[in-house]
Amino acid sequence: MRPAPFRPRSALVAAAGVVVVVLSAVPPTRVPTVLAVSAVAAAAPLVGVVRHRPARPEPWLAVAAMLTCWGLALALAAPAYPVALALQAAGIAVAGGLFAVIFARQRRSGPQDRRRSRRETWGRRTDRLMVALVIGLALAQSATSLLDPALPWPTAFAPVDLVLVCLLLRFTASRADLGPSMRLLVAGGVTAAVYDCLCANTGVRVLGPEPVQNVVWTVAVLLFTAGSLHPGMTTAFSPRRLARLRSESARLLGSTPLLLVPVALSLLDGARVLPTAAYLATAAAVAALAIVRGAQTIRASERLARRDPLTGLANRRGLRVAFDDLVPTTADPALPVGRLAVLDLDDFKHVNDTYGHETGDHLLVAVGGRLADAIGGGGTVARSGGDEFVLLLRPAAPDVGDLLHAAFADPVALGELSFGVRASAGWVELTGASELPLALADADVALYASKDGDRGGATRFAPEQREQVLGSLALGADLRRLVSGDPAAGELVLHYQPLVALPDRRVRGCEALVRWRHPERGLLSPDTFLPVAEAQGHGAAIDAWVLREACRSALTWPDPTWTVSVNLGRSSMVCPDLAARVRTTLAATGLPAGRLHLEITEHDQLPADAAVLALHELAADGVGVALDDFGTGYTSVAYLQRYPISVLKLDRSVTGADASVALLRGLVGLADALGTTVLAEGIETDEQCARLAGLGVDAGQGWLFGRPMTADRLADLAAPVGNPT
């Protein structure tokens, strides 16, 4: 660790403080020194407020009033003792108000909806009981001293001061970061309480400036002065700073001064009014409670070591404990003992990207609660990390698929937001011979199989799945190499499928479709690798490459009026510089904006404002916007209102031979009302083409007109395609 830099100014201030303390210790200079330093301390908070401008100066004005009262009481002790007593009482009242402010602010800043465990609640009660015992002993000694005519009444204040010292030390030890200014103030308060205890124990309530005890007072006011003038005084009374607690072990250490209170009280002059047994009993009780508190802290630490700090579910260590309980080493190797399932939330990354990580954390907590409620006493729920959960199920627990349905049948409400949660799971049977690492690996393989297939379901592990999953993982690794520019990973290529006008079947443009020429797997379709690219965060980069290459290629086509359609994935839709990227590409390639069409598709968890402004800006430039696969989503009609759609591409499920004529007429009428062109996908026969043209469909796309082809074959499309009649 590097040593702290030497600051000459700080060293000079410390040296001046030492000189002042020495002057207060020497009888000839003690009185003027004590009075002068008291006056300076009373003015210091006012100077600090003027110089540093704290947002809330009221506590510092109270500090100034408190020190003024105490300084005047010290000066008037000899000539006007009753006035000095009144001023000291006023200062104590102000000090009590300051303590109330500190306590109230640290209480208000804590989270109001935080649920505490039973151990934590009992731990706090134990702390309060220890404090109550020492305060009770001090009050008993004070009250008994007041009733004893042989003792001067000021001795009744010494026990209270002693307890105050311990409470201040405990407060300091329990706070994580009080800051230099507040630490100096607390140190001044501790020293002032020690001074008051020494004075009260002499039988005189207010000493003048002459006694030697004023050396302690000088130290106290110097600490108050330093805290008031320090730049950190602007945040000294900040609720957020006051509420930051140390760890449980550090807070337990802060209770150590309470153990010394009974011993210190027994040494005061008023101690003879209580039997020795009272001090011994209190000391023993506080020590016993401290031991209990330590045991509670250790148990809580052990529990936290097995719990996920976010959700409160078991973590990996807790899962290991639960697994060892379920699968004991003495179990029959062939005996089924339960199931282990690994589940992962589908599209959770989109929640974090769209709504922020705090919302994502709240969703994880809610999901953990749903899973725990669904399982009940039939097993253990663990969070292994991120959005992945592990279910350890006893034989009588419900099926994994039924658990998922029970947990996520209803949307999860988080304030004004509502999330339809979907999770994919993989599970494996457990026997007496099962080992946790191998079971987790097998369940992970089944989970990958679920995600590659029908998401939202639960897949049982089968050995043949391992080769399939390893192939998918290898594909993801190759894709990362491809995006990074490694030529050994193959290359991306573009194929083009014609878009034709109906009924004359003349080509009006082409859709650019990306392929991956893999060195080992051959030509891969986009359905094979684009979902992997989106999951890895490379979707926008691939879309940018497709846009650039398609615009370049379109300039070489046989007809300069043909449009080129480029698909935008989810990553591109949430990209903040989408409009700038498209404009830059058009300017770099020289393609007119009117020849470019951007095709968008409904995406799960896509923000309502995703690319809305960008697409409207591009539409104003002349770029066309097509809504792809219309008829397959749930909110596509909302897309018609949200985006500047110029082409409505009907999905093949709507345009097939068995499609409803009434539905098609309704969709064409809707498009006509919106001024939108209708294009039918999946046209494969002449009869289908004629029927769609008769219903008013403007354009079509499908194998009847041509399969996706390379750019050098587009010259064959200059004439009408698909044997027009």
Side-chain angles (χ1 to χ4, degrees), residues 310-311 348-366 383 386-387 414 417 419:
L310 176 64
T311 62
F348 178 74
K349 181 179 182 296
H350 300 164
V351 177
N352 277 340
D353 293 344
T354 304
Y355 300 101
H357 287 272
E358 184 173 356
T359 299
D361 287 346
H362 289 312
L363 182 60
L364 290 175
V365 173
R383 177 173 175 247
D387 61 331
L414 298 177
L417 300 176
F419 297 92

Side-chain angles (χ1 to χ4, degrees), residues 479 482-483 486 489-495 513-518 523-526 529-530 533 538-539 541-546 548-549:
L479 181 61
L482 174 72
V483 174
D486 185 354
E491 62 177 345
L492 295 175
V493 296
L494 288 184
H495 286 188
L513 302 170
V514 66
R515 303 287 189 266
W516 179 6
R517 187 174 286 121
H518 194 278
L523 197 64
L524 300 180
S525 67
F529 64 89
L530 282 185
H538 300 313
I542 293 179
D543 286 351
W545 182 90
V546 172
R548 182 172 60 254
E549 295 302 316

